[in-house]
Amino acid sequence: MQAPYYAVIFTSTRNDGDQGYAEMAQKMEALAQEQPGFLGMESAREQLGITVSYWENIQAITQWKKQLDHVDAQRKGRSTWYSGYRVRICKVEREYSFGKLSF
Amino acid sequence: MQAPYYAVIFTSTRNDGDQGYAEMAQKMEALAQEQPGFLGMESAREQLGITVSYWENIQAITQWKKQLDHVDAQRKGRSTWYSGYRVRICKVEREYSFGKLSF
């Protein structure tokens, strides 16, 4: 990816039990990939979950936030899956890398 | 934290074996906390590791990158611990949150 572009850092803690979470997470990642301006997504979870998605511009992020199935997932996230989360909208100003990157 | 501030997104894949990695990671987190302008750090690793550190401004990030023990850790990271990594320097433009946040 060529800076500048945008990143959404989503950090979260989960409530106990899957309750359809894993299936939704897969669906949302597939759906995000179809959105205009989507560049990529990276995730890891231990106690804390971190998902970073990358976007061409702010408009693409705003559209994704309003996408209807995603709005449903956000609602269920608040009612069921997450005990808490934080969303940070960021402008990626520069980047560099080392070695073999499969991501 | 009150936007705007800065985030460094560090994504990495590890080589096999610990080789002092866990100890270094703990040390570097403790050391980062002592740096001027440090705001916080969040990490999770599955196949991919994601560490996001937060800083008041770009100067604080530049200083941390040059900090001598950290320079040593970066060198050992390239020679030993990481098969690959990417560093993204980002300006956090806004944030919002939901629920209980212990992070």
Side-chain angles (χ1 to χ4, degrees), chain A residues 5 87-89 93 96, chain B residues 5 87-89 91 93 96:
Chain A
Y5 56 94
V87 177
R88 291 176 171 99
I89 314 292
E93 298 189 340
Y96 58 93
Chain B
Y5 57 95
V87 177
R88 292 177 171 96
I89 315 292
K91 184 178 190 179
E93 298 190 340
Y96 57 93

Side-chain angles (χ1 to χ4, degrees), chain B residues 15-65:
Chain B
N15 291 320
D16 289 340
D18 183 72
Q19 299 178 93
Y21 176 77
E23 193 189 337
M24 175 284 300
Q26 264 189 338
K27 263 195 199 154
M28 285 304 118
E29 182 160 357
L31 192 61
Q33 283 168 10
E34 295 171 8
Q35 302 308 301
F38 177 83
L39 298 174
M41 188 181 282
E42 299 172 328
S43 286
R45 177 173 297 279
E46 289 180 293
Q47 286 138 312
L48 181 71
I50 306 179
T51 295
V52 191
S53 59
Y54 302 102
W55 303 87
E56 282 176 11
N57 50 49
I58 282 279
Q59 291 72 23
I61 294 170
T62 307
Q63 279 187 291
W64 171 234
K65 195 183 176 197

Side-chain angles (χ1 to χ4, degrees), chain A residues 84-101:
Chain A
Y85 63 72
R86 184 171 277 130
V87 177
R88 291 176 171 99
I89 314 292
C90 310
K91 184 177 188 179
V92 181
E93 298 189 340
R94 58 201 180 85
E95 69 172 79
Y96 58 93
S97 63
F98 159 78
K100 277 190 236 175
L101 295 163

